[in-house]
Amino acid sequence: MRVLGALAALLAALVPAANAACLPPEMILVGIQTANRIQVEQLGSDATRIETPLAHVPGRTLGYEVQGLFRVNGPVAAALQRTFGRRDSYACGDAPPATFETPGPLAIGLLFASGRAAIAAVLHLPEGMVELQLEGGVHTLTPLSQAGQRRWQEVLLLFARETHTSPEEFYEQMLPPVHIDPATPAEPDSTGPPRDGEPAPR
């Protein structure tokens, strides 16, 4: 079952009311801070997302198809933990929400895992919403704050130094592959039917 409509409605309702949103539970923040295996994932589009109670299964994160992934460590891993594992990274109370510009709508997957727990995360851009779920447990959707956005930009700069790609190129690479709905009619043949005054092909 597709959840595009429900997610879009939820994002639309939450973005204007960012200050009313609450923090992710402490167990999620601690799980992110103490993770020893962290990966970043390119995800498929909302059109191919499925509804599932499981945070992370082979090939999917929070219902999104995982198109590619790479493990991170060192400064990049630490920067990701600062971005998503700190209370002030989320726009709760009086904290102003983040504002993003991206080449298109995209969802960036993250996995923070340790021997005891795994937290799956999806950063929805350009909305700046962070979807988090403790494996087998609580699920939240919270807006990133401007402080969280600055930390995310630090992550992108560290990526740039390691991969020699700019933040703009990173976003381009993380865009979901084009999804073609099998129910969509095929493009008409370029030859098409004969126009008025043209003889039909034999």
Side-chain angles (χ1 to χ4, degrees), residues 139-161:
H139 176 272
T140 68
L141 184 66
T142 308
L144 207 62
S145 68
Q146 290 182 10
Q149 182 177 7
R150 287 192 295 271
R151 293 182 185 122
W152 173 250
Q153 288 167 341
E154 178 189 347
V155 171
L156 295 184
L157 291 175
L158 290 169
F159 272 136
R161 291 175 196 164

Side-chain angles (χ1 to χ4, degrees), residues 2-103:
R2 293 178 184 170
V3 294
L4 174 60
L7 179 62
L10 188 56
L11 289 173
L14 285 177
V15 171
N19 289 342
C22 60
L23 287 166
E26 189 66 22
M27 66 180 71
I28 286 183
L29 298 178
V30 170
I32 291 172
Q33 293 163 7
T34 58
N36 54 29
R37 181 167 62 89
I38 301 172
Q39 64 191 37
V40 178
E41 302 166 338
Q42 181 196 21
L43 301 179
S45 67
D46 286 325
T48 60
R49 189 181 188 184
I50 62 170
E51 188 173 354
T52 172
L54 301 174
H56 197 272
V57 294
R60 287 196 181 266
T61 291
L62 292 173
Y64 283 97
E65 290 180 332
V66 177
Q67 303 291 332
L69 62 88
F70 51 97
R71 297 270 178 89
V72 296
N73 49 45
V76 175
L80 283 167
Q81 288 173 300
R82 287 193 298 273
T83 301
F84 298 101
R86 291 181 52 154
R87 287 172 168 268
D88 63 348
S89 283
Y90 299 95
C92 301
D94 295 327
T99 55
F100 287 91
E101 290 185 11
T102 60

